[in-house]
Amino acid sequence: MAQSMTLEPGKLVGQLRRAERRKRAFAISLTLPLLLFLLFTFLVPIGALLVRAVENPEVANTLGRTAKALSSWNRTAAPPAVAYAALIEDLSAIKEQSDAGALARRLNSEVSGARSLIMSTYRALPLAPGLTPEQVRTQLLALDARWGELSYWQAIAKNASRWTPDYLLTSLDLKRDVQGHITRVDADSAAFANILVRTFKISAIVTLFCLLLGYPLAYWLSILSTRKANMLMILVLVPFWTSILVRVAAWIVLLQSNGLVNRSLMGLGLSDAPLPLLFNRLGVIIAMVHILLPFMILPLYSVMKSVPPTYLRAAVSLGSHPLAAFFRVYVPQTWPGVGAGGLLVFILSIGYYVTPALLGGAGDQMLSYYIAQYTNVNVNWGMACALGAVLLSATLVLYALYRRVVKSELSLG
C-alpha cells in the first residue's frame, strides 16, 4: 500500500505532462497552416530578396577560369596572357546566348561599353584551335582593341566572387574602388541618398496631413451614436472597395487644368488661372492622403471609442476649460492610436509606386519607382533587391522605434 501511494503522484505528474503536450500539439496543429502560409508567402520571398541583394552569380557562373587566372593579378599592370586564354575558354563554354547577355549586362553596370565588347567577342568565337596564350591575346586584341584596357579586366576581377556588397553600397551612394576599398561615389553619380530622403519626406508630409484630417473626423465618429457612426464609417471605407488605379485616374481628371478643382477655384474667384496641380508633388500628396486617410482613421477610432467620455466631463466639472481638458486629459489617452495610425500610414507611404508614377514628375518619384525600373527595364535584379532591402530595413527601424516609444510610455504610465 505504501509503495502504491508513493508511485501515484509520479503517475499523475506524467499524465499531466502528456495532457499538456497533447494540448500544445493540438494548438500548434491549428496554427500550422497559417505559419506555413506566412513562411512561403512572406519569409521565403524576403529571404530570397536579401540573398539576391548580395549575390553576384553572373561572372562566377560564366568566367570561372578567368577569375582564377586573375586571382593573383595586382589590377594595375596588364593582365597575364593566361587570362586572355581563360577568357576565350569561358566564353566558348557558354551555351546559351541569354547567359552571355546576363554577363554582359552585369559588366556593363560596372564599365560602360562592356556589353557590346562581351557580345561581339562571344559572337566571333570560336578561335582557331591550338593557340598559345600569347597568340590568343594577340587575336583578341586584334578582334577588339578594348581588351587592352584595364577597366574591363578590373571589372571582371572585382566581380569574380559569388557574393558582393556592391549592390548595397550603390544603394547608399558608396562603391568599391579597384583595390576593394569603400569610397563615396562622385557627386554627379550620387542619387539614391536623395531619393531615400525624398521618399521619407513625402511619406512624412502625407502622414502629417492624414493625422490632421483624420483625428477630428475619428473623434466626431467616436462621439456619435453607434448607428450613425456605422453609417458614416461606410463612407470612410469606400476607398477600400475601389481600385487604386481608378482613384488615381479620378484625381487626374479632377486636378488637370480644366478639371473640377481648377474650375471651382476660378469660379469662386480664388484663382485667375489654372493652378499646376498635376504631375508635381502637390498632386502626389493630395492623392496619397486621400488613399491612405482610412488607415489613419480606423486606428484612431478604435482607440477613441475605448476612452470613457466621463473623463472629459469630470475634468470640466472640476473647473478645467473644455479645450484644456481635451488636450490634457483626452488627447494623451489617444497616443496609441496616433502612433499606430501614423506608423501604418508612413510605412505604406514609403512603399508607394503607382500614385507618384502617374501623378508626379521626374523629381517626385519615390524609391519603389526605381525598384520597378531596375526590375522591369534594366533587368538588374541585384540592384532592385538591394533597394528593396534598404526599404525593408527602414521599415524595421521605424517599427523598432515605435515599439520603444510605446514601451517607454507604458512604463511611465
Side-chain angles (χ1 to χ4, degrees):
M1 177 70 71
Q3 185 178 2
S4 63
M5 291 292 290
T6 56
L7 292 176
E8 204 59 40
K11 290 182 179 180
L12 181 60
V13 171
Q15 290 176 356
L16 290 174
R17 287 178 177 174
R18 285 193 294 272
E20 192 67 30
R21 283 196 294 267
R22 284 195 296 268
K23 289 182 179 179
R24 191 179 298 113
F26 180 70
I28 292 175
S29 66
L30 291 177
T31 59
L32 188 60
L34 177 60
L35 293 177
L36 291 176
F37 176 79
L38 292 176
L39 175 65
F40 289 107
T41 62
F42 184 70
L43 296 179
V44 171
I46 288 179
L49 178 145
L50 296 177
V51 169
R52 192 64 183 86
V54 294
E55 192 178 16
N56 190 32
E58 293 86 359
V59 177
N61 288 344
T62 54
L63 301 183
R65 301 180 186 88
T66 309
K68 186 177 181 180
L70 295 174
S71 59
S72 58
W73 179 46
N74 60 10
R75 304 187 186 185
T76 55
V82 291
Y84 287 85
L87 177 66
I88 293 301
E89 289 183 27
D90 286 330
L91 291 179
S92 300
I94 299 177
K95 302 301 182 183
E96 299 292 336
Q97 187 170 349
S98 59
D99 295 334
L103 170 66
R105 286 193 301 270
R106 179 66 186 97
L107 293 177
N108 196 74
S109 66
E110 297 282 340
V111 183
S112 179
R115 182 170 185 171
S116 61
L117 177 62
I118 292 291
M119 296 309 296
S120 61
T121 304
Y122 176 74
R123 295 188 185 100
L125 296 178
L127 299 181
L131 298 177
T132 64
E134 291 293 342
Q135 291 173 329
V136 171
R137 177 167 61 179
T138 302
Q139 288 202 17
L140 201 55
L141 291 175
L143 181 65
D144 198 317
R146 288 180 293 176
W147 282 118
E149 300 178 17
L150 291 181
S151 57
Y152 299 104
W153 293 100
Q154 289 168 348
I156 294 174
K158 178 184 173 183
N159 293 279
S161 175
R162 179 170 290 276
W163 307 103
T164 178
D166 288 344
Y167 295 125
L168 291 174
L169 291 175
T170 303
S171 66
L172 300 174
D173 288 338
L174 301 172
K175 67 176 182 179
R176 285 190 303 160
D177 59 16
V178 175
Q179 301 301 328
H181 302 130
I182 297 176
T183 59
R184 283 204 159 274
V185 301
D186 300 333
D188 296 335
S189 303
F192 293 111
N194 294 331
I195 294 170
L196 189 61
V197 171
R198 181 197 308 159
T199 300
F200 277 83
K201 183 178 179 181
I202 294 176
S203 301
I205 294 173
V206 170
T207 303
L208 178 61
F209 276 106
C210 284
L211 179 61
L212 293 177
L213 294 173
Y215 196 97
L217 180 56
Y219 174 71
W220 180 53
L221 291 173
S222 68
I223 62 176
L224 290 175
S225 63
T226 304
R227 181 173 174 275
K228 291 181 179 179
N230 291 337
M231 291 179 61
L232 292 174
M233 187 60 70
I234 295 175
L235 300 178
V236 175
L237 296 176
V238 164
F240 285 115
W241 304 333
T242 309
S243 169
I244 291 181
L245 287 174
V246 174
R247 283 177 276 174
V248 171
W251 277 112
I252 293 176
V253 175
L254 291 173
L255 297 178
Q256 61 184 329
S257 298
N258 293 323
L260 180 62
V261 175
N262 270 312
R263 286 188 177 183
S264 300
L265 292 175
M266 289 188 293
L268 295 173
L270 300 177
S271 175
D272 298 329
L275 299 177
L277 302 176
L278 201 57
F279 307 123
N280 53 30
R281 191 161 302 182
L282 180 60
V284 173
I285 292 174
I286 291 174
M288 288 180 65
V289 169
H290 167 251
I291 294 170
L292 294 173
L293 188 57
F295 293 97
M296 178 66 75
I297 294 174
L298 293 176
L300 286 172
Y301 175 75
S302 64
V303 171
M304 291 176 175
K305 200 67 177 174
S306 64
V307 177
T310 54
Y311 289 177
L312 270 179
R313 292 198 293 266
V316 173
S317 65
L318 291 174
S320 175
H321 190 276
L323 195 60
F326 179 80
F327 283 103
R328 297 181 63 181
V329 176
Y330 185 84
V331 171
Q333 297 182 77
T334 62
W335 287 137
V338 172
L343 181 68
L344 183 60
V345 171
F346 192 88
I347 289 176
L348 291 173
S349 297
I350 61 177
Y352 252 54
Y353 162 65
V354 174
T355 306
L358 295 180
L359 293 177
D364 306 309
Q365 303 306 316
M366 302 168 71
L367 196 60
S368 297
Y369 173 85
Y370 296 92
I371 295 176
Q373 186 81 4
Y374 277 109
T375 302
N376 301 322
V377 179
N378 299 334
V379 197
N380 189 343
W381 288 6
M383 195 64 216
C385 291
L387 293 175
V390 170
L391 206 57
L392 175 64
S393 301
T395 303
L396 294 177
V397 168
L398 287 172
Y399 180 72
L401 291 175
Y402 169 73
R403 293 286 296 174
R404 172 165 292 192
V405 170
V406 170
K407 285 183 179 180
S408 63
E409 288 181 355
L410 290 177
S411 61
L412 290 175

